Amino acid sequence: MGRAAREISHLNVDELIQMLNEALSEEWLAYYQYWIGARLMEGPMRSEIEPELLLHATEELGHAVLVVDRILQLGGTPVLTPEDWTKFAKCAYESPTDPYVEAILEQNLRGERCAIERYQQIAEFTYGKDHTTYQMATTILSDELEHEHDIEDFIVDINRLKDDIRKIRM
Ligand code: FE
Ligand code: FE
Ligand code: MG
């Protein structure tokens, strides 16, 4: 951590680094969950949903880059082994054992809601005390809110499709 960086920090840096490592682990798990889920996925609107899930995967990886860069700036050591991802992450990794599109979307939705809580927590912890981390947290938070919204929209569309099919059958 640079001298000025240390002088201007008004919070418990070790605690912050721990939170950031948890977030980093969650991003990697979210990346893989999206990435593998998109490939296994089957069901309606597959051709539309799959590329969006892969885009989200890439965006989660982008978040990991932002988080790891900040950990290093703060003088911390980022998670060094994948074994620690599941130990550090507070957001559960959900194996896509059911490849049906709705099941995959529900899993990703729970992940996004957990990510939203995570960056809300980091933003609150750093607000007015560490402007750089705060800015990073709110930038990522905006993406996670967008991800949640995208998935909610897909679920709404699938439900409408199911309703329409039901009406035709009656
Ligand atoms: Fe993310
Ligand atoms: Fe996300
Ligand atoms: Mg999106």
Side-chain angles (χ1 to χ4, degrees), residues 8 13 15 17 27 33 49 52 56 68 76 80 89 104 113 135 146 151 162:
I8 59 166
V13 176
E15 206 179 326
I17 289 168
E27 292 294 357
Q33 195 173 314
I49 295 174
E52 189 61 34
H56 285 196
V68 84
L80 295 177
I104 299 281
R113 287 177 177 158
Q135 196 183 35
E146 205 180 285
I151 295 173
K162 288 203 298 199

Side-chain angles (χ1 to χ4, degrees), residues 1-40:
M1 193 176 186
R3 196 189 70 198
R6 209 165 21 235
E7 282 169 7
I8 59 166
S9 79
H10 299 293
L11 44 71
N12 185 331
V13 176
D14 291 339
E15 206 179 326
L16 177 60
I17 289 168
Q18 176 61 28
M19 272 180 211
L20 292 172
N21 261 323
E22 289 169 10
L24 176 61
S25 303
E26 287 157 6
E27 292 294 357
W28 272 101
L29 294 172
Y31 167 75
Y32 192 70
Q33 195 173 314
Y34 266 121
W35 184 88
I36 197 72
R39 282 174 168 80
L40 293 167

Side-chain angles (χ1 to χ4, degrees), residues 2-152:
R3 196 189 70 198
R6 209 165 21 235
E7 282 169 7
I8 59 166
S9 79
H10 299 293
L11 44 71
N12 185 331
V13 176
D14 291 339
E15 206 179 326
L16 177 60
I17 289 168
Q18 176 61 28
M19 272 180 211
L20 292 172
N21 261 323
E22 289 169 10
L24 176 61
S25 303
E26 287 157 6
E27 292 294 357
W28 272 101
L29 294 172
Y31 167 75
Y32 192 70
Q33 195 173 314
Y34 266 121
W35 184 88
I36 197 72
R39 282 174 168 80
L40 293 167
M41 201 191 79
E42 34 187 74
M45 294 162 63
R46 182 204 298 227
S47 55
E48 214 180 316
I49 295 174
E50 188 186 324
E52 189 61 34
L53 298 188
L54 289 174
L55 181 64
H56 285 196
T58 306
E59 287 165 348
E60 306 306 2
L61 216 47
H63 298 161
V65 174
L66 295 175
V67 174
V68 84
D69 284 350
R70 190 60 191 142
I71 291 172
L72 292 171
Q73 275 183 3
L74 290 166
T77 305
V79 187
L80 295 177
T81 169
E83 283 154 35
D84 288 336
W85 291 341
T86 45
K87 281 183 216 153
F88 282 21
K90 298 274 162 43
C91 302
Y93 177 82
E94 297 191 42
S95 312
T97 47
D98 177 359
Y100 192 62
V101 57
E102 278 182 305
I104 299 281
L105 288 173
E106 289 294 341
Q107 288 180 327
N108 289 329
L109 185 58
R110 283 190 288 274
E112 290 301 342
R113 287 177 177 158
C114 187
I116 287 167
E117 277 175 42
R118 164 65 68 198
Y119 291 102
Q120 179 71 25
Q121 175 206 35
I122 295 173
E124 281 171 8
F125 190 76
T126 53
Y127 179 74
K129 293 177 189 141
D130 173 349
H131 306 302
T132 308
T133 307
Y134 176 77
Q135 196 183 35
M136 180 209 75
T138 54
T139 300
I140 299 176
L141 180 59
S142 302
D143 283 352
E144 309 300 15
L145 293 170
E146 205 180 285
H147 290 171
E148 182 195 38
H149 193 232
D150 287 346
I151 295 173
E152 283 178 347

